[in-house]
Amino acid sequence: MSTESKVQSCEPTKRRGRPVGAGIDPAKRQKIMEGAHRVFHDFGFDTASMQQIAQTAGVSKGTLYVYFANKEDLFEALVDSQRELMFGDLKKVAETAPTLEQGLLDYGMLFTRKVLSDNGITAQRVLLGVVDRQPELGLQFYERGPARGHKLLQTLLDRFNKLEACDIADTGLAAYQFAELCLAQNYRQRLFGWQPEATSEDDISKVVNAAVSLFMKAYAFVRPETGIKTATE
Amino acid sequence: MSTESKVQSCEPTKRRGRPVGAGIDPAKRQKIMEGAHRVFHDFGFDTASMQQIAQTAGVSKGTLYVYFANKEDLFEALVDSQRELMFGDLKKVAETAPTLEQGLLDYGMLFTRKVLSDNGITAQRVLLGVVDRQPELGLQFYERGPARGHKLLQTLLDRFNKLEACDIADTGLAAYQFAELCLAQNYRQRLFGWQPEATSEDDISKVVNAAVSLFMKAYAFVRPETGIKTATE
Amino acid sequence: MSTESKVQSCEPTKRRGRPVGAGIDPAKRQKIMEGAHRVFHDFGFDTASMQQIAQTAGVSKGTLYVYFANKEDLFEALVDSQRELMFGDLKKVAETAPTLEQGLLDYGMLFTRKVLSDNGITAQRVLLGVVDRQPELGLQFYERGPARGHKLLQTLLDRFNKLEACDIADTGLAAYQFAELCLAQNYRQRLFGWQPEATSEDDISKVVNAAVSLFMKAYAFVRPETGIKTATE
Amino acid sequence: MSTESKVQSCEPTKRRGRPVGAGIDPAKRQKIMEGAHRVFHDFGFDTASMQQIAQTAGVSKGTLYVYFANKEDLFEALVDSQRELMFGDLKKVAETAPTLEQGLLDYGMLFTRKVLSDNGITAQRVLLGVVDRQPELGLQFYERGPARGHKLLQTLLDRFNKLEACDIADTGLAAYQFAELCLAQNYRQRLFGWQPEATSEDDISKVVNAAVSLFMKAYAFVRPETGIKTATE
DNA sequence: TATGAATGAGGGTTCATTCAT
DNA sequence: CATGAATGAACCCTCATTCAT
């Protein structure tokens, strides 16, 4: 969210004609979103109050409605920016990996760190609490977030498939599998609050390494020197 | 009153005649929980109203409070029953599996079906929306649900480890990995609403089979007739 | 209240036809009133709940309505019994006093003790909280309580007026004055909770003695041996 | 959001943006208090509803909470203002009285009028109904009201004691006695609703005069020209 | 007669949103 | 544009009373 002020600035609100020429000052918009993040984080969507968001952001309640049509709008903008933060820089990793193993490792570490981060977990939690009532929000988040990440990973696998570094029949499924292996143990523990603190870098590293190892063992050609390759499926 | 008699205490306490676990009629209790399930499902914890729940369940608002102390209590009871439904019958599968492969397959199918079921997903979603403010609820759910499932799976792996059907250095992590592989692709899609319909039995089967296959390839001894075993790690 | 079970037993309730043959068992009636006293005492009329009264009395909520038509009825019965307790035994003191001074002293002590007692103060407080909405209750209490006490005292003064032990032009007012002098300092302090503990016997004695002394000085003939009398007014 | 910025604290606290003493418009505040006065008067604290108060005052229920944190707060403000009204201007009377008799008369009339006024009686009644559950309210009222009045009266007596206009051993008790004498007959009658109408000026005058007379007779030096003084005690 | 589960109106309070300044 | 006082619907929960057993 910190790097993001003009993204929404031109979506002129949806409900009623009120704030048509809304959202002039990007800095104020930013301030509001920071306050909102904090409050949504601490209280969840329903329990967060616009009053408190206004206070936390240091603006008046009325100003909130100048920049955002309503509570949901504000929340949506927040989800957008969070998502961007989480999946933004996976792209270059996926596209520049020199070897499959290295690519998986780098991608896995980056991805896992983001998904398990405090902000990431909280955002997902709050979002999930709203998804039943605001399905579009979940859809949008998933499509622009996890789905995009998945595509990148699949592309990576396709690339090395072509390079004959591995032999994966269903790169789509394989990509999901790898992602899930990276989150093993920690994702649901974090989500449900069983791990209250952010997962340590060491733990992440351990799991990601195990994921890469298991994945390579199952899908990659091994021991090129023996000339014998082991394909999957 | 000058003569005190043995009447009860009566200090100015809150929570006076509250229903301790009251509510005699199990059928009515069930009715309430079904109504509550529907409403919590459709609206989430905060937005669901007791009024609505009462209507849906076909009882009066007051009756709700005869059977449950408050909204949270009702929700907790709901989460409890959902959890039990989800993780209840994994036990026998894990303990009676004849072979590792069969055990993984059976466990995986059962587990995955439950976790991805409509009820399961909804319950998790609603719960996750509340976890930030009611951490105990999440803890309890995780401990009595996923954590218990994980223990069972680990026990299964340990058993076959001892039988030398496989060679898994860290059965704890491996159990997590297998579970996550079973949920690959579908879990987060379901959670975020990208898959609005319950995952089809075919899709589940496909993913679980792939999970077993990948897991076996990576961890199990293969083709005992060749005399050559491939260990992990 | 402890000594009082049959007083109300024949007032067959007022509202609706429900408990017509109500209130059979005097012991149970007594039990209820004791519980009610306790709860009304601790919570006041509005905040006291029938539920709690039932619990405290050790009977069921339904039973309450067998013995009393409703909450107000129960409260009224309670007020009646309290009043009786407070003003019951002033009569004999007023009628048998050998001298004015002794009569004032005895009457004053008895009266003051009762009015300032914990039960007395609480009962008055609770009653006063209801008086605006149930004026009859206050009227009845005052008439059957303080007014009766006042009459007794006036009779006492009249008696000694006739005996030429004193010369009081307006015995009605004088009686009020004496009563008020006895309550000086303590009554309002107790009422408003400034004196949380029951006024000590010593303090009561001190004030009552001062009241008698002041009253005698103002109204009584002094020093009969000098032959000089000092009249009031 | 990742960059924390200096937004405010926002720990999950209750009492968020509550109106500290908010409510800018004094006229509206006054309007509310008048409405509240009427409703509390007619119904007592517990039975008065905020809804009703809002209606009576001609504002919305929400507005009530802009000006007062809650029902108790509103009631307290009301009690405060009533008390001030009752005891506010006794001071100058006590400090400027030229003679003891005149001082007692003026003080007595003012004091009695206030205490027995409709507003005064009602306020006391309502307050007394709450005192058991909100002892601080009673304490505060007594301390800032009756206690202050008593101090003033005692000071008056002390002054004339020094001037040798009277000889009062215990001016504290004497002050209480005088106050009580002024309220004789009427105070409890008014409190319990036996005198539904405000006591007439004539009646007050009669009782206060009698009080002064009795008090002077008992405590003051009389007929300085005879050289014979009659002291108390 | 005694019970206590059931009722539903009504309580205090909160809060997203509006709008006059 | 920015403000925050005002609104009123809706929230969770309580409780006097009823009534089937």
Side-chain angles (χ1 to χ4, degrees):
Chain A
M1 158 152 322
S2 50
T3 63
E4 217 263 322
S5 308
K6 43 244 108 105
V7 168
Q8 288 285 333
S9 59
C10 294
E11 247 178 39
T13 82
K14 285 154 187 171
R15 298 143 78 91
R16 313 211 187 172
R18 187 52 43 69
V20 196
I24 290 306
D25 183 351
K28 188 160 284 189
R29 193 171 205 279
Q30 179 58 22
K31 239 172 85 180
I32 292 173
M33 291 187 67
E34 282 170 11
H37 173 78
R38 188 127 181 194
V39 178
F40 280 133
H41 174 112
D42 289 351
F43 292 89
F45 180 81
D46 290 297
T47 305
S49 84
M50 293 298 265
Q51 168 74 276
Q52 199 174 12
I53 290 173
Q55 265 178 27
T56 307
V59 302
S60 82
K61 239 189 309 183
T63 304
L64 257 39
Y65 289 86
V66 172
Y67 285 82
F68 301 92
N70 52 37
K71 202 182 180 184
E72 290 171 13
D73 212 53
L74 173 52
F75 182 63
E76 191 177 330
L78 215 58
V79 169
D80 277 2
S81 74
Q82 277 298 310
R83 180 179 21 71
E84 220 49 40
L85 225 59
M86 281 177 63
F87 294 96
D89 40 17
L90 287 176
K91 195 156 191 255
K92 66 171 106 41
V93 170
E95 290 173 347
T96 62
T99 70
L100 175 59
E101 194 160 9
Q102 193 61 46
L104 290 175
L105 203 60
D106 290 348
Y107 182 96
M109 287 300 294
L110 201 51
F111 165 81
T112 308
R113 254 195 301 258
K114 293 294 177 81
V115 173
L116 299 183
S117 72
D118 257 1
N119 279 343
I121 286 296
T122 302
Q124 291 177 76
R125 278 210 279 246
V126 176
L127 184 59
L128 286 170
V130 175
V131 140
D132 274 311
R133 281 162 293 145
Q134 317 269 349
E136 334 80 45
L137 241 55
L139 284 186
Q140 189 173 312
F141 177 85
Y142 188 84
E143 268 174 30
R144 301 195 189 163
R148 235 167 58 192
H150 174 259
K151 284 262 167 55
L152 291 173
L153 189 49
Q154 185 173 5
T155 306
L156 180 82
L157 297 182
D158 282 335
R159 180 151 66 92
F160 285 101
N161 234 4
K162 253 188 213 127
L163 293 177
E164 304 208 346
C166 59
D167 177 18
I168 302 173
D170 183 344
T171 52
L173 178 56
Y176 282 121
Q177 287 177 322
F178 178 70
E180 238 60 55
L181 284 172
C182 287
L183 300 179
Q185 181 164 38
N186 296 312
Y187 184 58
R188 282 184 296 156
Q189 283 187 10
R190 289 283 284 140
L191 223 41
F192 287 100
W194 212 65
Q195 262 188 60
E197 307 291 327
T199 312
S200 75
E201 189 69 10
D202 273 3
D203 285 342
I204 291 177
S205 171
K206 195 183 122 207
V207 175
V208 172
N209 273 298
V212 173
S213 153
L214 190 151
F215 193 86
M216 294 297 287
K217 202 169 295 168
Y219 283 127
F221 296 107
V222 288
R223 315 180 180 241
E225 73 279 11
T226 64
I228 302 168
K229 67 177 186 181
T230 320
T232 34
E233 205 85 52
Chain B
M1 177 109 321
S2 45
T3 67
E4 266 314 314
S5 81
K6 330 86 233 168
V7 286
Q8 296 183 21
S9 76
C10 178
E11 58 269 13
T13 167
K14 270 74 202 289
R15 287 196 149 257
R16 283 173 269 176
R18 213 90 303 289
V20 208
I24 289 303
D25 187 350
K28 188 156 285 188
R29 195 184 155 91
Q30 186 55 29
K31 234 172 89 181
I32 292 174
M33 290 188 66
E34 280 165 15
H37 178 79
R38 273 190 62 148
V39 178
F40 279 134
H41 172 115
D42 291 350
F43 293 88
F45 180 82
D46 290 297
T47 304
S49 88
M50 293 299 263
Q51 177 69 262
Q52 233 171 338
I53 291 174
Q55 270 173 23
T56 306
V59 302
S60 81
K61 224 193 319 184
T63 304
L64 255 39
Y65 290 87
V66 172
Y67 285 81
F68 301 92
N70 51 38
K71 200 183 182 184
E72 287 174 17
D73 212 53
L74 172 52
F75 181 63
E76 190 175 333
L78 216 58
V79 168
D80 275 5
S81 78
Q82 281 299 316
R83 179 181 22 72
E84 221 47 40
L85 238 54
M86 282 175 61
F87 295 95
D89 41 17
L90 287 175
K91 194 154 190 257
K92 66 171 104 43
V93 171
E95 288 173 349
T96 62
T99 69
L100 175 58
E101 192 160 10
Q102 193 60 47
L104 290 175
L105 202 60
D106 290 347
Y107 181 97
M109 287 300 294
L110 200 51
F111 165 81
T112 309
R113 252 195 304 258
K114 293 296 176 80
V115 173
L116 299 183
S117 73
D118 255 3
N119 282 345
I121 286 296
T122 301
Q124 291 176 77
R125 275 210 280 250
V126 177
L127 183 58
L128 288 170
V130 175
V131 139
D132 272 312
R133 280 159 295 143
Q134 316 270 349
E136 333 80 44
L137 241 56
L139 282 186
Q140 189 175 311
F141 177 84
Y142 188 85
E143 270 172 29
R144 300 196 188 163
R148 233 169 58 193
H150 173 258
K151 284 260 168 57
L152 291 172
L153 189 49
Q154 184 174 7
T155 307
L156 180 81
L157 298 183
D158 282 334
R159 180 150 66 91
F160 286 100
N161 235 5
K162 254 190 213 122
L163 295 177
E164 305 208 344
C166 59
D167 178 18
I168 302 173
D170 183 344
T171 53
L173 177 55
Y176 282 120
Q177 288 177 323
F178 179 71
E180 239 58 55
L181 284 171
C182 287
L183 298 179
Q185 181 165 35
N186 296 311
Y187 184 59
R188 282 185 293 156
Q189 283 186 9
R190 289 283 284 139
L191 223 42
F192 287 100
W194 210 65
Q195 262 187 59
E197 306 293 327
T199 313
S200 75
E201 188 68 14
D202 272 5
D203 285 342
I204 291 178
S205 172
K206 194 184 121 204
V207 175
V208 171
N209 272 299
V212 173
S213 155
L214 190 151
F215 193 86
M216 293 298 287
K217 203 170 294 169
Y219 284 128
F221 296 108
V222 288
R223 311 181 180 246
E225 74 278 10
T226 64
I228 303 167
K229 68 178 186 179
T230 321
T232 33
E233 202 91 49
Chain C
M1 156 161 327
S2 50
T3 65
E4 215 263 324
S5 308
K6 44 246 110 105
V7 168
Q8 286 288 332
S9 59
C10 293
E11 244 179 40
T13 81
K14 287 154 188 168
R15 297 143 79 91
R16 313 213 185 172
R18 186 53 43 69
V20 195
I24 291 307
D25 183 352
K28 188 159 285 189
R29 194 172 203 279
Q30 180 59 23
K31 238 172 85 180
I32 292 174
M33 290 188 67
E34 281 171 9
H37 173 79
R38 186 130 186 189
V39 178
F40 280 133
H41 173 114
D42 290 351
F43 292 90
F45 180 80
D46 291 297
T47 305
S49 84
M50 292 300 262
Q51 168 73 275
Q52 199 173 13
I53 289 173
Q55 266 177 26
T56 306
V59 303
S60 81
K61 238 189 308 185
T63 303
L64 256 38
Y65 288 86
V66 172
Y67 285 81
F68 300 91
N70 51 37
K71 203 184 179 183
E72 289 172 14
D73 211 52
L74 173 52
F75 182 63
E76 191 176 332
L78 214 57
V79 169
D80 276 2
S81 73
Q82 277 298 314
R83 179 178 23 72
E84 221 48 41
L85 224 58
M86 281 178 61
F87 295 95
D89 40 16
L90 287 176
K91 197 157 188 257
K92 65 172 109 34
V93 171
E95 290 173 347
T96 63
T99 68
L100 175 58
E101 192 160 10
Q102 192 60 47
L104 291 174
L105 202 59
D106 290 348
Y107 182 96
M109 286 301 292
L110 201 50
F111 165 81
T112 308
R113 253 196 302 259
K114 293 293 176 81
V115 172
L116 299 183
S117 73
D118 258 359
N119 280 342
I121 286 295
T122 303
Q124 291 177 77
R125 278 209 279 246
V126 176
L127 184 59
L128 287 170
V130 176
V131 139
D132 274 311
R133 282 161 294 146
Q134 317 269 347
E136 333 81 46
L137 241 55
L139 284 186
Q140 190 174 310
F141 176 84
Y142 188 84
E143 270 172 29
R144 302 196 188 161
R148 236 168 56 194
H150 173 257
K151 285 261 169 54
L152 291 173
L153 189 48
Q154 184 173 7
T155 307
L156 180 80
L157 297 183
D158 282 336
R159 179 151 64 93
F160 285 100
N161 236 2
K162 253 184 216 129
L163 294 177
E164 304 208 345
C166 57
D167 177 17
I168 303 175
D170 183 343
T171 52
L173 177 57
Y176 282 121
Q177 288 178 321
F178 178 70
E180 239 59 54
L181 284 172
C182 287
L183 300 179
Q185 179 165 39
N186 297 310
Y187 184 58
R188 282 185 294 156
Q189 283 186 11
R190 288 283 284 140
L191 223 40
F192 288 100
W194 211 65
Q195 260 188 62
E197 307 292 329
T199 312
S200 77
E201 188 68 12
D202 273 4
D203 286 342
I204 290 177
S205 171
K206 192 183 124 209
V207 175
V208 171
N209 273 297
V212 173
S213 153
L214 191 147
F215 193 86
M216 293 297 287
K217 201 167 299 168
Y219 284 126
F221 299 107
V222 288
R223 312 176 181 249
E225 73 277 12
T226 65
I228 303 168
K229 67 178 187 182
T230 320
T232 33
E233 204 86 52
Chain D
M1 158 171 329
S2 47
T3 66
E4 267 315 313
S5 78
K6 332 86 236 174
V7 284
Q8 295 182 22
S9 74
C10 175
E11 56 271 11
T13 167
K14 270 74 201 289
R15 287 196 151 257
R16 282 173 268 176
R18 213 89 302 288
V20 209
I24 289 304
D25 185 351
K28 188 156 284 188
R29 197 184 154 92
Q30 186 55 30
K31 236 173 87 181
I32 293 175
M33 289 188 65
E34 279 165 15
H37 178 78
R38 275 191 59 148
V39 178
F40 280 133
H41 173 115
D42 291 350
F43 293 88
F45 181 81
D46 290 297
T47 303
S49 86
M50 292 300 263
Q51 178 69 261
Q52 234 169 338
I53 291 173
Q55 270 172 24
T56 306
V59 302
S60 81
K61 220 182 340 172
T63 303
L64 256 38
Y65 289 87
V66 172
Y67 285 81
F68 301 93
N70 51 39
K71 201 184 181 183
E72 288 175 16
D73 212 54
L74 172 52
F75 181 61
E76 191 176 332
L78 217 57
V79 169
D80 275 5
S81 77
Q82 281 301 315
R83 181 182 18 75
E84 220 48 39
L85 238 54
M86 283 175 60
F87 295 95
D89 40 17
L90 287 176
K91 198 156 189 257
K92 67 174 104 40
V93 171
E95 289 173 349
T96 62
T99 69
L100 175 58
E101 194 161 9
Q102 192 62 46
L104 289 175
L105 201 60
D106 291 348
Y107 182 98
M109 286 301 292
L110 201 51
F111 166 80
T112 308
R113 252 196 302 259
K114 294 296 176 81
V115 172
L116 298 183
S117 72
D118 255 3
N119 282 346
I121 286 295
T122 301
Q124 290 177 77
R125 274 211 280 251
V126 177
L127 183 59
L128 286 170
V130 175
V131 139
D132 272 312
R133 281 159 294 142
Q134 316 270 350
E136 333 80 43
L137 241 56
L139 283 186
Q140 190 174 310
F141 177 84
Y142 188 84
E143 270 173 29
R144 301 196 187 162
R148 234 169 56 194
H150 173 257
K151 284 260 168 56
L152 291 172
L153 190 47
Q154 185 173 4
T155 306
L156 179 80
L157 298 182
D158 282 333
R159 181 149 65 92
F160 287 99
N161 234 3
K162 254 189 214 122
L163 295 176
E164 304 209 345
C166 58
D167 177 19
I168 303 174
D170 183 344
T171 53
L173 177 55
Y176 282 120
Q177 287 178 323
F178 178 71
E180 239 59 54
L181 284 171
C182 288
L183 299 179
Q185 180 166 37
N186 297 310
Y187 184 59
R188 283 187 294 157
Q189 282 187 10
R190 288 283 284 139
L191 223 40
F192 287 100
W194 210 65
Q195 262 188 59
E197 306 293 327
T199 312
S200 76
E201 189 67 15
D202 273 4
D203 286 341
I204 291 178
S205 171
K206 193 183 120 207
V207 176
V208 171
N209 274 297
V212 172
S213 154
L214 191 151
F215 194 86
M216 293 298 286
K217 200 168 299 167
Y219 285 127
F221 297 106
V222 286
R223 311 178 180 244
E225 74 276 15
T226 65
I228 304 168
K229 68 178 188 182
T230 320
T232 33
E233 205 90 47

